[in-house]
Amino acid sequence: MSKASDLSHHSISSRLDGFRNLEPHERLALVAEIAGLTDADQKAISGMDALPIELANGMIENVVGKFELPLGVAANFTVNGRDYLIPMAVEEPSVVAAASFMAKIVRDCGGFSTSSTTPIMRAQVQILDLKDPHGARMRLLEQADALMALANSRDKVLIGLGGGCKDIEVHVFDDTPIGPMVVLHLLVDVRDAMGANTVNTMAEMIAPEIEEITGGTVRLRILSNLADKRLVRARVALTPDALSTKTLDGAAVARGIAEACALAIVDPYRAATHNKGIMNGIDPVVLATGNDWRAVEAGAHAWAARSGRYTSLSRWEVASNGNLVGTIELPMAVGIVGGATKTHPAAQAALRLMGVTSAKELAEVTVAVGLAQNMAALRALSTEGIQKGHMALHARNIAIMAGAKGEAVEVVAKAMSAAGDVSVDRAKEFLSQAYLSGPHIAP
């Protein structure tokens, strides 16, 4: 995008009144108009042969077809003063609705604030067969400048963009199952890339020189998905009034959210589910934009366990003025160049829908979605309980399983939710009643 189009995109509003009541093609037309998507982008996002089988066959091995997930758009997001439409590829009911609802509450309180570190990725080079591992470490550090220069010698484009290998660490493991071991880390600024290919190539390049310097044998040469120097943070502050419900005072809701988070902080059994809820928001955005959600998941959970005990990725606190303050910090290795982000037409269209122009911006918006999803889950748990809202949306899946089609899906789903009985048997019962009461909703 040019700077002009960049500015025009960010003059959009992510507040989409009545969006949920539109048909899918109407929703697509609306967001396409707002985001300025081309006809090709609309076709790609709609899933109408977005990924030709010939292109899929070139992306991975042994291709026999394609696998699709629903692609929704989360509305209402304001991040650092800018509005965003968020593409989310996910199969779980309530995720997109919950993120959109929380974003609406947050936008009325100023939106999400985010920040991030430089996009530094690590490459690890494992060195074995050393009699003097600590001596080898010192020899490597003495040659750090030469090793970094060698690592940077191939990728002139990255260096020209201000990236490249910026530092070297050397770690000694005196006692492992195979004896002493030295592991050299290349710390590489990968700019707008996820960075796996870049750092792996650098590690391969310097391996022979490392063997020459140390007299050891190099084994593994591979990136680390614990991107602990590529951190992204998001923060919200919500007034008690913004949190009030029909039956609960906002101060009580704020206290309930903080209390629910406290359990995830101290108990790994709760933290696993708590953090899964955060990833419910993050993974769909990562997936929709063609990024590696397994790498993001691995980094997030390793970060959550960095103290030696698995804990919550987020913190929710009640400030002295009564506001509920939510914060999150985790590694976020995503890119907008290379990989599927450049080969998959739907991923490219999703990035244009968001209007992001850097990996930093994509990462920060994605983490804001994770914090919104976390807030939605904790708010539900501390108020009406998680099942009520979730099952109301899940009822549509159950109605479809029972054979409902077209308008009958919504009719049967609403009837089950109202009855408090979301099951296939009850759906079939309501479906037969719907069939008898009006042919316009017949299955």
Short mmCIF file of all heavy atoms in Angstrom, two decimals, residues 214-272:
data_model
loop_
_atom_site.label_atom_id
_atom_site.label_comp_id
_atom_site.label_asym_id
_atom_site.label_seq_id
_atom_site.Cartn_x
_atom_site.Cartn_y
_atom_site.Cartn_z
N THR A 214 35.99 -23.97 17.28
CA THR A 214 35.86 -24.73 18.52
C THR A 214 36.55 -26.08 18.50
O THR A 214 36.89 -26.62 19.56
CB THR A 214 34.38 -24.97 18.84
OG1 THR A 214 33.80 -25.78 17.79
CG2 THR A 214 33.62 -23.66 18.97
N GLY A 215 36.73 -26.65 17.31
CA GLY A 215 37.24 -28.01 17.23
C GLY A 215 36.19 -29.06 17.53
O GLY A 215 36.47 -30.25 17.64
N GLY A 216 34.93 -28.61 17.67
CA GLY A 216 33.84 -29.53 17.96
C GLY A 216 33.07 -29.93 16.71
O GLY A 216 33.48 -29.63 15.58
N THR A 217 31.96 -30.61 16.93
CA THR A 217 31.10 -31.06 15.84
C THR A 217 29.74 -30.37 15.94
O THR A 217 29.09 -30.44 16.98
CB THR A 217 30.89 -32.59 15.91
OG1 THR A 217 32.17 -33.23 15.88
CG2 THR A 217 30.02 -33.08 14.76
N VAL A 218 29.33 -29.73 14.88
CA VAL A 218 28.02 -29.08 14.85
C VAL A 218 26.96 -30.10 14.49
O VAL A 218 27.09 -30.84 13.53
CB VAL A 218 27.99 -27.90 13.85
CG1 VAL A 218 26.57 -27.43 13.61
CG2 VAL A 218 28.84 -26.75 14.38
N ARG A 219 25.89 -30.13 15.27
CA ARG A 219 24.73 -30.98 14.96
C ARG A 219 23.55 -30.11 14.51
O ARG A 219 23.46 -29.73 13.37
CB ARG A 219 24.35 -31.84 16.18
CG ARG A 219 25.29 -33.01 16.39
CD ARG A 219 25.03 -34.10 15.36
NE ARG A 219 25.87 -35.27 15.61
CZ ARG A 219 27.00 -35.55 14.97
NH1 ARG A 219 27.44 -34.73 14.03
NH2 ARG A 219 27.70 -36.63 15.27
N LEU A 220 22.67 -29.76 15.43
CA LEU A 220 21.47 -29.02 15.03
C LEU A 220 21.80 -27.59 14.64
O LEU A 220 22.64 -26.92 15.26
CB LEU A 220 20.45 -29.00 16.17
CG LEU A 220 19.90 -30.34 16.64
CD1 LEU A 220 18.76 -30.11 17.63
CD2 LEU A 220 19.40 -31.17 15.46
N ARG A 221 21.10 -27.10 13.60
CA ARG A 221 21.19 -25.71 13.15
C ARG A 221 19.76 -25.30 12.82
O ARG A 221 19.27 -25.55 11.71
CB ARG A 221 22.09 -25.62 11.91
CG ARG A 221 23.47 -26.21 12.15
CD ARG A 221 24.26 -26.42 10.87
NE ARG A 221 23.65 -27.36 9.95
CZ ARG A 221 23.69 -28.69 10.06
NH1 ARG A 221 24.31 -29.25 11.09
NH2 ARG A 221 23.10 -29.45 9.18
N ILE A 222 19.09 -24.65 13.77
CA ILE A 222 17.65 -24.48 13.64
C ILE A 222 17.16 -23.29 14.47
O ILE A 222 17.74 -22.97 15.51
CB ILE A 222 16.91 -25.78 14.08
CG1 ILE A 222 15.41 -25.71 13.82
CG2 ILE A 222 17.21 -26.11 15.53
CD1 ILE A 222 15.00 -25.72 12.38
N LEU A 223 16.07 -22.65 14.00
CA LEU A 223 15.49 -21.54 14.77
C LEU A 223 14.88 -22.05 16.08
O LEU A 223 14.59 -23.23 16.23
CB LEU A 223 14.41 -20.83 13.96
CG LEU A 223 12.95 -21.34 14.08
CD1 LEU A 223 11.98 -20.27 13.67
CD2 LEU A 223 12.75 -22.61 13.29
N SER A 224 14.64 -21.11 16.99
CA SER A 224 13.87 -21.40 18.20
C SER A 224 12.52 -20.69 18.09
O SER A 224 12.45 -19.52 17.72
CB SER A 224 14.58 -20.90 19.45
OG SER A 224 13.71 -20.97 20.58
N ASN A 225 11.45 -21.41 18.42
CA ASN A 225 10.13 -20.80 18.43
C ASN A 225 9.82 -20.09 19.76
O ASN A 225 8.74 -19.50 19.88
CB ASN A 225 9.05 -21.84 18.14
CG ASN A 225 9.03 -22.26 16.68
OD1 ASN A 225 9.09 -23.44 16.35
ND2 ASN A 225 8.97 -21.30 15.78
N LEU A 226 10.74 -20.16 20.71
CA LEU A 226 10.60 -19.33 21.91
C LEU A 226 11.22 -17.97 21.59
O LEU A 226 12.38 -17.69 21.89
CB LEU A 226 11.29 -19.98 23.12
CG LEU A 226 11.28 -19.17 24.41
CD1 LEU A 226 9.89 -18.67 24.77
CD2 LEU A 226 11.87 -19.99 25.56
N ALA A 227 10.43 -17.13 20.93
CA ALA A 227 10.92 -15.83 20.45
C ALA A 227 10.84 -14.81 21.58
O ALA A 227 10.09 -13.83 21.52
CB ALA A 227 10.10 -15.39 19.24
N ASP A 228 11.65 -15.03 22.61
CA ASP A 228 11.53 -14.23 23.83
C ASP A 228 12.10 -12.82 23.70
O ASP A 228 12.02 -12.02 24.63
CB ASP A 228 12.17 -14.96 25.02
CG ASP A 228 13.65 -15.23 24.83
OD1 ASP A 228 14.15 -15.06 23.69
OD2 ASP A 228 14.31 -15.62 25.80
N LYS A 229 12.69 -12.52 22.54
CA LYS A 229 13.13 -11.15 22.28
C LYS A 229 12.23 -10.48 21.24
O LYS A 229 12.52 -9.37 20.77
CB LYS A 229 14.59 -11.13 21.82
CG LYS A 229 15.57 -11.45 22.95
CD LYS A 229 17.00 -11.26 22.51
CE LYS A 229 17.96 -11.45 23.67
NZ LYS A 229 17.84 -10.40 24.70
N ARG A 230 11.15 -11.16 20.89
CA ARG A 230 10.18 -10.60 19.93
C ARG A 230 8.83 -10.53 20.63
O ARG A 230 7.88 -11.23 20.28
CB ARG A 230 10.13 -11.47 18.68
CG ARG A 230 9.41 -10.83 17.51
CD ARG A 230 9.46 -11.73 16.27
NE ARG A 230 8.93 -11.04 15.11
CZ ARG A 230 8.94 -11.52 13.87
NH1 ARG A 230 9.46 -12.73 13.65
NH2 ARG A 230 8.45 -10.84 12.87
N LEU A 231 8.75 -9.67 21.63
CA LEU A 231 7.58 -9.62 22.50
C LEU A 231 6.60 -8.55 22.05
O LEU A 231 6.98 -7.49 21.57
CB LEU A 231 8.02 -9.35 23.94
CG LEU A 231 8.95 -10.39 24.57
CD1 LEU A 231 9.37 -9.93 25.96
CD2 LEU A 231 8.28 -11.75 24.63
N VAL A 232 5.32 -8.87 22.24
CA VAL A 232 4.25 -7.93 21.91
C VAL A 232 3.36 -7.79 23.14
O VAL A 232 3.07 -8.77 23.83
CB VAL A 232 3.44 -8.42 20.70
CG1 VAL A 232 2.34 -7.43 20.36
CG2 VAL A 232 4.36 -8.62 19.50
N ARG A 233 2.90 -6.56 23.40
CA ARG A 233 2.11 -6.26 24.59
C ARG A 233 0.83 -5.54 24.20
O ARG A 233 0.81 -4.78 23.24
CB ARG A 233 2.91 -5.38 25.56
CG ARG A 233 4.34 -5.84 25.78
CD ARG A 233 5.14 -4.83 26.58
NE ARG A 233 6.56 -5.13 26.55
CZ ARG A 233 7.42 -4.56 25.69
NH1 ARG A 233 6.99 -3.64 24.83
NH2 ARG A 233 8.69 -4.89 25.71
N ALA A 234 -0.22 -5.79 24.96
CA ALA A 234 -1.47 -5.05 24.78
C ALA A 234 -2.05 -4.71 26.15
O ALA A 234 -1.83 -5.46 27.12
CB ALA A 234 -2.48 -5.85 23.96
N ARG A 235 -2.79 -3.60 26.22
CA ARG A 235 -3.34 -3.13 27.49
C ARG A 235 -4.71 -2.51 27.26
O ARG A 235 -4.95 -1.87 26.23
CB ARG A 235 -2.41 -2.09 28.12
CG ARG A 235 -2.92 -1.45 29.40
CD ARG A 235 -1.90 -0.44 29.96
NE ARG A 235 -1.61 0.62 29.01
CZ ARG A 235 -2.35 1.72 28.86
NH1 ARG A 235 -3.44 1.89 29.62
NH2 ARG A 235 -2.02 2.65 27.99
N VAL A 236 -5.61 -2.72 28.23
CA VAL A 236 -6.90 -2.04 28.23
C VAL A 236 -7.18 -1.52 29.64
O VAL A 236 -6.67 -2.06 30.63
CB VAL A 236 -8.06 -2.97 27.82
CG1 VAL A 236 -7.95 -3.37 26.37
CG2 VAL A 236 -8.13 -4.20 28.71
N ALA A 237 -7.96 -0.47 29.71
CA ALA A 237 -8.44 0.05 31.00
C ALA A 237 -9.92 0.35 30.83
O ALA A 237 -10.30 1.14 29.97
CB ALA A 237 -7.67 1.30 31.40
N LEU A 238 -10.75 -0.30 31.65
CA LEU A 238 -12.20 -0.20 31.50
C LEU A 238 -12.83 0.36 32.77
O LEU A 238 -12.51 -0.07 33.88
CB LEU A 238 -12.78 -1.59 31.20
CG LEU A 238 -12.24 -2.21 29.93
CD1 LEU A 238 -11.71 -3.60 30.20
CD2 LEU A 238 -13.30 -2.26 28.86
N THR A 239 -13.72 1.30 32.58
CA THR A 239 -14.43 1.87 33.73
C THR A 239 -15.47 0.89 34.24
O THR A 239 -15.97 0.05 33.48
CB THR A 239 -15.13 3.18 33.33
OG1 THR A 239 -16.12 2.87 32.34
CG2 THR A 239 -14.14 4.19 32.77
N PRO A 240 -15.83 0.97 35.52
CA PRO A 240 -16.90 0.10 36.04
C PRO A 240 -18.20 0.25 35.25
O PRO A 240 -18.90 -0.74 35.01
CB PRO A 240 -17.05 0.56 37.48
CG PRO A 240 -15.72 1.12 37.85
CD PRO A 240 -15.20 1.77 36.59
N ASP A 241 -18.54 1.49 34.84
CA ASP A 241 -19.78 1.69 34.09
C ASP A 241 -19.79 0.87 32.80
O ASP A 241 -20.84 0.36 32.40
CB ASP A 241 -19.95 3.18 33.74
CG ASP A 241 -20.35 4.00 34.95
OD1 ASP A 241 -20.74 3.41 35.98
OD2 ASP A 241 -20.26 5.24 34.87
N ALA A 242 -18.63 0.74 32.15
CA ALA A 242 -18.55 0.01 30.89
C ALA A 242 -18.78 -1.48 31.10
O ALA A 242 -19.14 -2.20 30.15
CB ALA A 242 -17.20 0.24 30.23
N LEU A 243 -18.57 -1.95 32.32
CA LEU A 243 -18.67 -3.38 32.62
C LEU A 243 -20.02 -3.77 33.22
O LEU A 243 -20.27 -4.96 33.41
CB LEU A 243 -17.55 -3.79 33.58
CG LEU A 243 -16.13 -3.69 33.01
CD1 LEU A 243 -15.10 -3.78 34.14
CD2 LEU A 243 -15.88 -4.78 31.99
N SER A 244 -20.87 -2.81 33.50
CA SER A 244 -22.15 -3.11 34.13
C SER A 244 -23.02 -3.96 33.21
O SER A 244 -23.01 -3.81 31.99
CB SER A 244 -22.89 -1.83 34.49
OG SER A 244 -22.17 -1.09 35.45
N THR A 245 -23.78 -4.88 33.80
CA THR A 245 -24.76 -5.68 33.07
C THR A 245 -26.15 -5.38 33.63
O THR A 245 -26.30 -4.59 34.56
CB THR A 245 -24.46 -7.17 33.20
OG1 THR A 245 -24.74 -7.60 34.54
CG2 THR A 245 -23.00 -7.49 32.87
N LYS A 246 -27.15 -6.03 33.08
CA LYS A 246 -28.52 -5.81 33.55
C LYS A 246 -28.69 -6.22 35.01
O LYS A 246 -29.52 -5.67 35.72
CB LYS A 246 -29.49 -6.60 32.68
CG LYS A 246 -29.61 -6.09 31.25
CD LYS A 246 -30.56 -6.93 30.44
CE LYS A 246 -30.66 -6.42 29.00
NZ LYS A 246 -31.56 -7.27 28.17
N THR A 247 -27.88 -7.16 35.45
CA THR A 247 -28.06 -7.70 36.80
C THR A 247 -26.87 -7.46 37.72
O THR A 247 -26.98 -7.69 38.92
CB THR A 247 -28.32 -9.21 36.74
OG1 THR A 247 -27.23 -9.85 36.06
CG2 THR A 247 -29.62 -9.50 35.98
N LEU A 248 -25.73 -7.00 37.18
CA LEU A 248 -24.53 -6.86 38.00
C LEU A 248 -23.93 -5.47 37.88
O LEU A 248 -23.86 -4.90 36.78
CB LEU A 248 -23.48 -7.90 37.60
CG LEU A 248 -23.75 -9.35 38.00
CD1 LEU A 248 -22.73 -10.28 37.36
CD2 LEU A 248 -23.72 -9.51 39.52
N ASP A 249 -23.49 -4.94 38.99
CA ASP A 249 -22.76 -3.68 39.04
C ASP A 249 -21.39 -3.87 38.40
O ASP A 249 -20.74 -4.90 38.56
CB ASP A 249 -22.62 -3.24 40.49
CG ASP A 249 -21.77 -2.01 40.64
OD1 ASP A 249 -22.21 -0.93 40.21
OD2 ASP A 249 -20.64 -2.14 41.16
N GLY A 250 -20.91 -2.84 37.68
CA GLY A 250 -19.63 -2.93 36.98
C GLY A 250 -18.46 -3.20 37.89
O GLY A 250 -17.52 -3.93 37.53
N ALA A 251 -18.48 -2.64 39.10
CA ALA A 251 -17.38 -2.88 40.05
C ALA A 251 -17.33 -4.36 40.43
O ALA A 251 -16.24 -4.93 40.59
CB ALA A 251 -17.57 -2.01 41.29
N ALA A 252 -18.50 -4.99 40.56
CA ALA A 252 -18.54 -6.41 40.89
C ALA A 252 -18.02 -7.26 39.73
O ALA A 252 -17.31 -8.26 39.93
CB ALA A 252 -19.97 -6.83 41.24
N VAL A 253 -18.33 -6.85 38.51
CA VAL A 253 -17.82 -7.57 37.33
C VAL A 253 -16.30 -7.45 37.26
O VAL A 253 -15.60 -8.43 37.01
CB VAL A 253 -18.47 -7.03 36.04
CG1 VAL A 253 -17.85 -7.69 34.81
CG2 VAL A 253 -19.97 -7.25 36.05
N ALA A 254 -15.78 -6.24 37.49
CA ALA A 254 -14.33 -6.03 37.47
C ALA A 254 -13.64 -6.90 38.51
O ALA A 254 -12.62 -7.55 38.23
CB ALA A 254 -14.01 -4.56 37.72
N ARG A 255 -14.20 -6.93 39.71
CA ARG A 255 -13.63 -7.76 40.77
C ARG A 255 -13.69 -9.24 40.39
O ARG A 255 -12.74 -9.99 40.62
CB ARG A 255 -14.38 -7.50 42.07
CG ARG A 255 -13.76 -8.21 43.29
CD ARG A 255 -14.39 -7.72 44.59
NE ARG A 255 -15.83 -7.97 44.63
CZ ARG A 255 -16.76 -7.03 44.50
NH1 ARG A 255 -16.41 -5.75 44.33
NH2 ARG A 255 -18.06 -7.32 44.54
N GLY A 256 -14.80 -9.65 39.78
CA GLY A 256 -14.95 -11.05 39.39
C GLY A 256 -13.94 -11.46 38.33
O GLY A 256 -13.39 -12.57 38.37
N ILE A 257 -13.65 -10.57 37.38
CA ILE A 257 -12.66 -10.87 36.34
C ILE A 257 -11.27 -10.99 36.95
O ILE A 257 -10.50 -11.90 36.63
CB ILE A 257 -12.71 -9.79 35.24
CG1 ILE A 257 -14.00 -9.94 34.43
CG2 ILE A 257 -11.49 -9.88 34.33
CD1 ILE A 257 -14.22 -8.85 33.40
N ALA A 258 -10.93 -10.07 37.85
CA ALA A 258 -9.62 -10.13 38.52
C ALA A 258 -9.49 -11.41 39.35
O ALA A 258 -8.41 -12.04 39.38
CB ALA A 258 -9.43 -8.90 39.40
N GLU A 259 -10.57 -11.80 40.01
CA GLU A 259 -10.54 -13.03 40.82
C GLU A 259 -10.41 -14.27 39.94
O GLU A 259 -9.70 -15.22 40.29
CB GLU A 259 -11.80 -13.10 41.67
CG GLU A 259 -11.83 -12.06 42.79
CD GLU A 259 -13.20 -11.96 43.47
OE1 GLU A 259 -14.19 -12.54 42.96
OE2 GLU A 259 -13.28 -11.27 44.51
N ALA A 260 -11.07 -14.26 38.79
CA ALA A 260 -10.96 -15.39 37.88
C ALA A 260 -9.55 -15.51 37.33
O ALA A 260 -9.00 -16.62 37.19
CB ALA A 260 -11.96 -15.24 36.72
N CYS A 261 -8.92 -14.38 37.02
CA CYS A 261 -7.54 -14.39 36.52
C CYS A 261 -6.58 -14.90 37.58
O CYS A 261 -5.60 -15.58 37.27
CB CYS A 261 -7.15 -12.99 36.06
SG CYS A 261 -5.50 -12.90 35.33
N ALA A 262 -6.86 -14.58 38.84
CA ALA A 262 -5.96 -14.99 39.94
C ALA A 262 -5.80 -16.50 39.98
O ALA A 262 -4.70 -17.01 40.26
CB ALA A 262 -6.49 -14.47 41.27
N LEU A 263 -6.86 -17.23 39.69
CA LEU A 263 -6.76 -18.69 39.68
C LEU A 263 -5.82 -19.16 38.59
O LEU A 263 -5.01 -20.08 38.79
CB LEU A 263 -8.15 -19.32 39.49
CG LEU A 263 -8.19 -20.85 39.41
CD1 LEU A 263 -7.59 -21.49 40.65
CD2 LEU A 263 -9.62 -21.34 39.19
N ALA A 264 -5.89 -18.52 37.40
CA ALA A 264 -5.00 -18.90 36.30
C ALA A 264 -3.55 -18.56 36.61
O ALA A 264 -2.63 -19.24 36.13
CB ALA A 264 -5.44 -18.21 35.01
N ILE A 265 -3.33 -17.53 37.41
CA ILE A 265 -1.96 -17.15 37.77
C ILE A 265 -1.32 -18.20 38.66
O ILE A 265 -0.13 -18.53 38.51
CB ILE A 265 -1.96 -15.77 38.46
CG1 ILE A 265 -2.34 -14.68 37.45
CG2 ILE A 265 -0.60 -15.46 39.09
CD1 ILE A 265 -2.59 -13.32 38.07
N VAL A 266 -2.09 -18.78 39.58
CA VAL A 266 -1.49 -19.70 40.57
C VAL A 266 -1.65 -21.17 40.22
O VAL A 266 -0.94 -22.01 40.76
CB VAL A 266 -2.09 -19.44 41.97
CG1 VAL A 266 -1.84 -18.00 42.40
CG2 VAL A 266 -3.59 -19.76 42.01
N ASP A 267 -2.57 -21.52 39.31
CA ASP A 267 -2.90 -22.92 39.08
C ASP A 267 -2.73 -23.28 37.60
O ASP A 267 -3.48 -22.79 36.75
CB ASP A 267 -4.36 -23.17 39.50
CG ASP A 267 -4.79 -24.61 39.29
OD1 ASP A 267 -3.95 -25.46 38.96
OD2 ASP A 267 -5.99 -24.90 39.48
N PRO A 268 -1.77 -24.14 37.26
CA PRO A 268 -1.56 -24.49 35.85
C PRO A 268 -2.74 -25.19 35.21
O PRO A 268 -2.92 -25.11 33.99
CB PRO A 268 -0.32 -25.40 35.88
CG PRO A 268 -0.21 -25.87 37.29
CD PRO A 268 -0.77 -24.78 38.14
N TYR A 269 -3.57 -25.89 36.00
CA TYR A 269 -4.74 -26.54 35.42
C TYR A 269 -5.72 -25.51 34.87
O TYR A 269 -6.32 -25.70 33.81
CB TYR A 269 -5.42 -27.43 36.47
CG TYR A 269 -4.62 -28.66 36.80
CD1 TYR A 269 -3.76 -28.68 37.89
CD2 TYR A 269 -4.69 -29.79 35.99
CE1 TYR A 269 -3.01 -29.80 38.18
CE2 TYR A 269 -3.94 -30.92 36.27
CZ TYR A 269 -3.10 -30.93 37.38
OH TYR A 269 -2.35 -32.04 37.65
N ARG A 270 -5.89 -24.42 35.59
CA ARG A 270 -6.73 -23.34 35.10
C ARG A 270 -6.00 -22.54 34.03
O ARG A 270 -6.60 -22.11 33.03
CB ARG A 270 -7.15 -22.43 36.27
CG ARG A 270 -7.88 -21.16 35.85
CD ARG A 270 -9.17 -21.42 35.09
NE ARG A 270 -9.57 -20.25 34.34
CZ ARG A 270 -10.17 -20.27 33.16
NH1 ARG A 270 -10.45 -21.43 32.57
NH2 ARG A 270 -10.49 -19.15 32.55
N ALA A 271 -4.69 -22.32 34.21
CA ALA A 271 -3.92 -21.51 33.26
C ALA A 271 -3.96 -22.09 31.85
O ALA A 271 -4.01 -21.35 30.87
CB ALA A 271 -2.47 -21.39 33.74
N ALA A 272 -3.96 -23.43 31.74
CA ALA A 272 -3.99 -24.05 30.42
C ALA A 272 -5.26 -23.66 29.67
O ALA A 272 -5.22 -23.33 28.47
CB ALA A 272 -3.89 -25.57 30.55
#
